Amino acid sequence: MSEQRAFSFACGGQWLYGVASVPAEPHQRGVLIVVGGPQYRAGSHRQFTLLARSLAAQGIAAMRFDYRGMGDSEGTLRNFEAVDDDLRAAIDTFMVQVPQLREVVLWGLCDAASAVSLYAAGDERVTGLALLNPWVRTDSGAAQATLKHYYRARLFDKSLWKKLFSGRFNARAAVRSFTGLLGSARQAPAAGALPDRMHDRLGRFTGRVLVMLSGADLTAQEFDGLPRASPKWSALMAAPRITRKMLPRADHTCSRREWKDQVALWTAEWLRSW
């Protein structure tokens, strides 16, 4: 049986709000769930609530919270690259709320996965990262993923051919869109772009990393394309400390219960494997 604790904590002179799911005898390794995008601590379709309770039921304490400007927390909405202070304050609070903790795993979806990747190497308390559909968006990366996955799927889409033969298909606009994507796909990302910064920070991080990707999500497919486009990403993803999982039909937020349950199961199994 786990306990649900709601609390507030300070960061930069403002109040943040969080909830911890704490088992009766917590493992020394806990999970801090970080919100990404315009969400709050419950997550899309309660994904973060269910994940935290599932982990707690297996003896792993989990905390979720709203960083400044999100959900109920005070402050101005900020970019995912400007939440280091919020993450540090949340880890401080998590370890006070659950004094049995000796180390913390950061768990993030989309740009929260990117935020924790950029943060982790600077905090020795963080020994693992669980990344679901990490955000590495560049114009060229998004174009390559769209050309490879979206347009290929469209060729086998009956609705496309019905529109084409009914005369309702705007071929000029389609060609213009396609050639625009081709041009973007051929452009090299600028030096210091997000994929470079994430590679640098993940390379400095010495802990374990679990990468979980959805098959029906262009954000995940853009990340999945990095090792094919970049030798340094290929070497990083081949490291023994990195575990990769794929959910072939899942969408960006794993909206179906079976997908959420699979992500929770992978997370728990990985946490117990080291």
Side-chain angles (χ1 to χ4, degrees):
M1 195 68 175
S2 63
E3 175 190 356
Q4 306 297 309
R5 295 179 196 164
F7 46 81
S8 59
F9 57 98
C11 177
Q14 294 172 314
W15 289 104
L16 283 63
Y17 295 88
V19 178
S21 301
V22 185
E25 297 182 10
H27 192 278
Q28 68 174 11
R29 181 179 299 141
V31 176
L32 181 69
I33 301 170
V34 182
V35 172
Q39 298 184 19
Y40 78 120
R41 59 190 179 275
S44 301
H45 35 80
R46 300 179 72 240
Q47 181 182 22
F48 302 157
T49 301
L50 296 172
L51 174 62
R53 291 176 179 174
S54 173
L55 293 173
Q58 299 176 71
I60 301 165
M63 171 180 157
R64 47 201 167 88
F65 73 107
D66 301 331
Y67 53 71
R68 283 174 291 177
M70 303 285 277
D72 294 319
S73 292
E74 297 177 350
T76 304
L77 182 63
R78 59 202 60 230
N79 182 276
F80 70 92
E81 296 192 59
V83 297
D84 281 8
D85 290 344
D86 306 67
L87 293 173
R88 192 173 300 279
I91 294 172
D92 292 344
T93 303
F94 191 21
M95 300 194 86
V96 169
Q97 288 288 331
V98 188
Q100 296 92 337
L101 293 182
R102 295 294 176 267
E103 52 190 89
V104 172
V105 167
L106 302 180
W107 193 107
L109 162 67
C110 192
D111 59 15
S114 311
V116 300
S117 298
L118 295 171
Y119 172 85
D123 190 330
E124 63 183 12
R125 298 170 297 181
V126 180
T127 59
L129 296 173
L131 313 176
L132 176 60
N133 300 326
W135 174 265
V136 287
R137 180 57 42 86
T138 62
D139 289 344
S140 60
Q144 290 168 18
T146 303
L147 288 169
K148 181 175 181 180
H149 298 282
Y150 174 75
Y151 276 89
R152 181 181 294 175
R154 285 289 281 164
L155 288 175
F156 298 97
D157 186 346
K158 291 181 180 177
S159 65
L160 169 67
W161 295 102
K162 285 182 180 177
K163 281 180 72 175
L164 190 63
F165 289 118
S166 68
R168 293 184 290 112
F169 185 75
N170 188 337
R172 182 174 298 178
V175 170
R176 190 164 53 242
S177 172
F178 185 76
T179 54
L181 285 170
L182 277 178
S184 296
R186 289 169 179 158
Q187 293 176 357
L194 179 58
D196 285 342
R197 283 179 280 131
M198 280 185 61
H199 180 274
D200 175 63
R201 300 302 291 179
L202 284 173
R204 296 185 192 187
F205 179 61
T206 57
R208 306 292 184 98
V209 181
L210 171 64
V211 177
M212 298 172 283
L213 301 177
S214 296
D217 174 37
L218 283 177
T219 296
Q221 288 156 354
E222 185 174 354
F223 182 90
D224 198 32
L226 288 173
R228 287 188 291 275
S230 163
K232 67 180 184 181
W233 268 101
S234 177
L236 176 66
M237 294 301 293
R241 66 188 179 86
I242 294 186
T243 301
R244 180 182 177 279
K245 300 287 188 181
M246 173 66 79
L247 265 175
R249 291 180 296 171
D251 54 26
H252 184 62
T253 59
C254 299
S255 57
R256 292 186 183 176
R257 184 60 186 258
E258 66 193 81
W259 297 333
K260 283 194 284 287
D261 288 348
Q262 182 62 75
V263 166
L265 179 62
W266 279 338
T267 302
E269 288 178 343
W270 171 73
L271 283 163
R272 288 195 296 260
S273 71
W274 47 283

